[in-house]
């Protein structure tokens, strides 16, 4: 996730020093910094949750606000420093974690004008994804990459599938609207579509369910259809995952190709006979 | 989905001109035409949905009706032109999109006699599948084909599976009818079958759920069985999807190896350079 | 499913004649016989369902009973004939369809003594599986075999998985009983186990759902765990299905081995180089 | 699961004799011992369940308590003997079954001080996993291993997936809290997160479901997203399962081909006869 912005600044010694602490975790101070950051993220997330509970908010209202201020100021300073000490500033700002670091601050300042935006602070949780780097969990990170890559590679198929599913749900919902007329939960087409999605995805809250025998028959057909449809995204991702899984095994020692299947006897990139 | 009806008419110049606008999107006017079409489909779908909401229908009743008329007349003219300018008329009329274009018009004219059929206009949404051609999303279209073909190839297995599932649900529903007697939701066998399908597909609305300890025990057995059954359609589609992913590609003409990945430049079985 | 009991009797000509009609469908009369059988099964099933609906039963009570008698007597005669005309009687009686034919009759005669057993007549539906033979849908039948074989081959793994799942559900249910005390739906351990199964299998009726924050937290953990567990049966069947799928492709022309993988260059049974 | 602690003690003859009875099941007495153990575990589990049902507990209160005492004392003696007769005591105590045997006793003694802990006795059920050894179901055990190993090998990917899922649920829950305000079931952020998990995992109790049109729209988006996400753990385990199925087997010692099926007698890559 986080490409190394290891364009170490060369000008000032303190920049180089801070860079090492903030961006890396191979020094004691660097590790400490990362762990403090992680704790502050957890505390910040916990506070946002607890603020939403009236009983807790009444009792600790000011404690929460003060803590939120402290953490947000710390994060602001940290963000400023991150920009200051990195050489390729633009690279950091528009990187995955650069954007998240920014988004983790915005709601705090916005909430002065629009109080409701405060809850967007929950996006701070995404900063937790740094946890893998902090604890040197490179294996975990690699596995994470495999998942992300499989999803990315199958994203086009999934988009198409979702488009199909949406059109399917809209049509089914409209037909059900004709069947169940204005019965509770099927008063309008959008509500019937809501029911169709709840049913096809097998969530089945039960806040809306067919009432007439005709509607129930229709629902049974939909459920059986949905049961077959559920196989599609699984099939897509599994095929991709299986595909990706093979990548991690052998490497061609001539061209460095890593995408070698179990049963390959020649590298499919350069034609070298494999050991 | 849409086979090119590129049997360009040769007789009149205006036919050739219109053909290019309506069927292709490689000219500015052609693109504009497609985008207008797409917008009209979206607007038409939105109107049908909004008409079903009493509050909105009361306020904009006449606006909706007028818009519906305009769009339907536009679609009628478009359909007539499509037939007029294409050379192989029969080919277009019975093609996938030809049928959809027709179905998108029928409910409008039928609704003069049977007002309830108006809601079938929602089938217009299917015309949206043309979106891939409009925006030259050929990669998306290819991926769509892979899904459709995998479903088509496994359709026979899925039919059998559904037949099994229906017989299974009927039997389970009848047994449950004997267990839960005439308790609410289990008054008749068809209602018990409805419950069985809701349970086996893991939708679980909760509008009907077992009441007696015996019925709950029975439901637990069914749920555990259903949990294993759910794997079957997934297995079918996944095996087919994985299969398809490779089949669509090339064949080594030296050793006949068919297991060649997208990015392979040499056959992994015999080392031959691929074309 | 139905192994051919083609041990044609040689003694009497009428036996050979009836055998052909009853067991095969390659003559006009044989086909007619099968279709009548199919219709009677469908009618019989429909009657059982309709009998359970008080409104219909009141109106057509005697029609239903008379029809049931006629169909059951027909099935009895058919069963007797099936035994009479086949040579290897024991083979038929203990075959898959022989047992089903028998089970389709028992509830009718039992219902004289125990009226409730009448609903077991629904098992007659299983006779419908003969439909594939009647309509010569051999391709469907083969695909059915693939599914059945994949399930049979993975049955051992599925049993183990179910044993794990049951132990898991019992333990989780008991823990939940300690958390949610005697709250509605969690009054006893078996009821809590019922809730655990409903949750883990993602059915989620909602007739029982956690009430205390602690219980909700516990349920969230269970749901996330169940979400990962659901992958296991799918993985089992998919792996088996994929495996089986390969069988249907090539055949070794020396030893007739059909289990040949895509990438095999030598028959793994007899070592012959494959074409 | 249970590595053989076949470090048979050599000192005393009665130790060797007891060792054979307790740890093995190749003698008549050993088999009897295992079956008695299995029955006691089942009885013990049944008692715990029945004790939780007030009606049964009132009637058989003292029977239950006496039986529990007897079984627990038997298990205590058995545990002591297991340690006594095995040579490598530490090995047994910290083995999988050693820990379970210990955990099966602790709650009984703890319940004198903390009565509520009594229900932890349900963990005794885990001892049932020995059942495979008792009945010599080695094939089952091997298949169990395949599942466990596949889960273990994909555990890292599953952990990452769960971390993603938790972060995703927290963010979605918080956004929903902003949408549905303080409506029933969405009073606080933790409650909204509970709803998000119930929805994403497709459990869908329905005790909490969106009320406002905006909330329903949001829920629909979440459900469609969750529908794609559900494919990930399945893909992970399936890829691993498929992988495992082949890996456990043999290797061709001529060409090093590892892709050898259970029933192969010749290597499919080089044609060598397999041992």
């Amino acid at each position: 996730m986080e490409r190394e912005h290891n364009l170490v600044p060369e000008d000032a010694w303190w920049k180089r020093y801070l860079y090492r602490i903030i961006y890396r975790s191979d020094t004691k101070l660097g590790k400490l910094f990362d762990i403090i950051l992680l704790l502050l993220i957890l505390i910040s997330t916990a506070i946002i949750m607890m603020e939403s509970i009236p009983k807790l908010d009444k009792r600790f209202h000011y404690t929460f606000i003060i803590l939120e201020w402290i953490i947000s100021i710390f994060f602001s300073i940290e963000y400023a420093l991150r920009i200051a000490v990195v050489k390729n500033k633009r690279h950091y700002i528009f990187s995955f974690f650069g954007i998240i670091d920014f988004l983790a601050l915005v709601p705090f300042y916005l909430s002065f004008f629009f109080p409701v935006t405060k809850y967007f602070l929950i996006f701070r949780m995404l900063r937790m994804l740094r946890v893998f780097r902090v604890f040197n969990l490179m294996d975990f990170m690699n596995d994470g990459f495999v998942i992300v890559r499989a999803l990315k590679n199958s994203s086009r198929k999934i988009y198409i599938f979702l488009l199909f599913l949406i059109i399917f749900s809209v049509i089914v919902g409209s037909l059900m609207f004709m069947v169940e007329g204005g019965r509770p939960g099927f008063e309008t087409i959008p509500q019937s579509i809501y029911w169709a999605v709840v049913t096809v995805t097998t969530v089945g809250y039960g806040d809306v369910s067919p009432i007439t025998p005709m509607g129930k028959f229709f629902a049974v057909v939909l459920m059986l259809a949905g049961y077959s449809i559920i196989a599609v995204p699984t099939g897509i991702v599994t095929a991709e995952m299986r595909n990706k899984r093979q990548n991690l095994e052998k490497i061609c020692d001539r061209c460095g190709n890593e995408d070698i299947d179990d049963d390959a006897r020649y590298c499919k990139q350069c034609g070298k006979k494999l050991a």
Side-chain angles (χ1 to χ4, degrees), chain A residues 102-144:
Chain A
F102 181 70
L103 286 178
L105 284 172
V106 171
F108 176 71
Y109 293 107
L110 261 178
S111 69
F112 295 129
F113 311 103
F114 315 101
V116 92
T117 58
K118 194 178 63 183
Y119 294 112
F120 282 114
L121 282 173
I122 209 79
F123 279 106
R124 277 182 184 167
M125 259 200 111
L126 285 172
R127 300 194 76 193
M128 272 181 64
L129 292 174
R130 272 210 180 88
V131 74
F132 296 120
R133 210 207 40 192
V134 181
F135 296 111
N136 257 329
L137 304 169
M138 292 318 271
D139 285 339
F140 275 87
M141 218 158 154
N142 279 339
D143 277 352

Side-chain angles (χ1 to χ4, degrees), chain A residues 95 191 226 252 265 267:
Chain A
S95 72
Q191 286 208 357
C252 171
R265 296 191 304 134
C267 173

Side-chain angles (χ1 to χ4, degrees), chain A residues 109-218:
Chain A
Y109 293 107
L110 261 178
S111 69
F112 295 129
F113 311 103
F114 315 101
V116 92
T117 58
K118 194 178 63 183
Y119 294 112
F120 282 114
L121 282 173
I122 209 79
F123 279 106
R124 277 182 184 167
M125 259 200 111
L126 285 172
R127 300 194 76 193
M128 272 181 64
L129 292 174
R130 272 210 180 88
V131 74
F132 296 120
R133 210 207 40 192
V134 181
F135 296 111
N136 257 329
L137 304 169
M138 292 318 271
D139 285 339
F140 275 87
M141 218 158 154
N142 279 339
D143 277 352
F145 269 119
V146 173
I147 295 175
V148 168
R149 218 190 309 173
L151 275 178
K152 218 180 243 170
N153 285 355
S154 47
S155 63
R156 222 165 49 194
K157 285 207 196 75
I158 289 176
Y159 289 148
I160 293 170
F161 172 73
L162 285 180
L163 182 67
F164 270 101
L165 201 63
I166 289 166
I167 293 178
F168 180 75
S169 301
V170 170
I171 288 174
V172 163
S174 304
L175 292 177
M176 196 64 178
F177 174 71
M178 287 165 66
V179 172
E180 285 283 352
R183 286 195 184 70
F186 299 95
E187 284 98 352
T188 65
I189 288 186
Q191 286 208 357
S192 302
I193 295 169
Y194 166 73
W195 168 83
V197 172
V198 168
T199 301
V200 161
T201 56
T202 78
V203 170
Y205 288 131
D207 55 344
V208 187
S209 58
I211 299 146
T212 59
M214 178 79 181
K216 283 185 180 179
F217 176 77
F218 199 79

Side-chain angles (χ1 to χ4, degrees), chain A residues 250-275:
Chain A
K250 300 174 254 169
I251 299 179
C252 171
D253 50 358
R254 192 206 280 166
C255 70
N257 171 24
E258 290 179 345
D259 184 9
I260 292 170
D261 296 342
D262 284 338
D263 57 332
R265 296 191 304 134
Y266 294 89
C267 173
K268 65 185 177 185
Q269 288 303 331
C270 69
K272 194 185 175 297
K273 202 171 164 59
L274 296 170

Side-chain angles (χ1 to χ4, degrees), chain A residues 4-183:
Chain A
E4 267 301 309
H5 310 286
N6 56 3
L7 309 142
V8 192
E10 279 152 18
D11 27 29
W13 69 268
W14 62 270
K15 275 195 182 179
R16 255 182 298 162
Y17 186 72
L18 273 175
Y19 177 86
R20 201 128 190 231
I21 292 173
I22 296 175
Y23 280 95
R24 301 226 174 142
S25 46
D26 53 355
T27 57
K28 267 202 170 170
L29 264 171
K31 213 152 207 162
L32 190 72
F33 177 81
D34 281 342
I35 288 168
I36 287 170
L37 212 64
L38 212 66
L39 283 175
L40 288 181
I41 294 165
L42 281 175
I43 292 169
S44 177
T45 316
I47 286 173
I48 298 163
M49 286 192 199
M50 288 188 293
E51 269 189 317
S52 77
I53 305 171
K55 222 166 54 183
L56 285 174
D57 190 44
K58 214 171 267 173
R59 252 177 87 179
F60 303 107
H61 189 66
Y62 291 102
T63 323
F64 288 157
I65 285 181
I66 290 163
L67 275 171
E68 223 161 59
W69 268 83
I70 293 172
I71 293 173
S72 294
I73 288 166
F74 180 94
F75 282 177
S76 304
I77 294 170
E78 182 223 340
Y79 184 65
L81 279 178
R82 270 185 195 273
I83 293 175
V85 303
V86 86
K87 205 177 165 191
N88 192 338
K89 288 172 213 313
R90 176 188 292 233
H91 193 271
Y92 162 70
I93 290 168
F94 293 103
S95 72
F96 178 73
F97 276 103
I99 291 166
I100 283 176
D101 291 347
F102 181 70
L103 286 178
L105 284 172
V106 171
F108 176 71
Y109 293 107
L110 261 178
S111 69
F112 295 129
F113 311 103
F114 315 101
V116 92
T117 58
K118 194 178 63 183
Y119 294 112
F120 282 114
L121 282 173
I122 209 79
F123 279 106
R124 277 182 184 167
M125 259 200 111
L126 285 172
R127 300 194 76 193
M128 272 181 64
L129 292 174
R130 272 210 180 88
V131 74
F132 296 120
R133 210 207 40 192
V134 181
F135 296 111
N136 257 329
L137 304 169
M138 292 318 271
D139 285 339
F140 275 87
M141 218 158 154
N142 279 339
D143 277 352
F145 269 119
V146 173
I147 295 175
V148 168
R149 218 190 309 173
L151 275 178
K152 218 180 243 170
N153 285 355
S154 47
S155 63
R156 222 165 49 194
K157 285 207 196 75
I158 289 176
Y159 289 148
I160 293 170
F161 172 73
L162 285 180
L163 182 67
F164 270 101
L165 201 63
I166 289 166
I167 293 178
F168 180 75
S169 301
V170 170
I171 288 174
V172 163
S174 304
L175 292 177
M176 196 64 178
F177 174 71
M178 287 165 66
V179 172
E180 285 283 352
R183 286 195 184 70

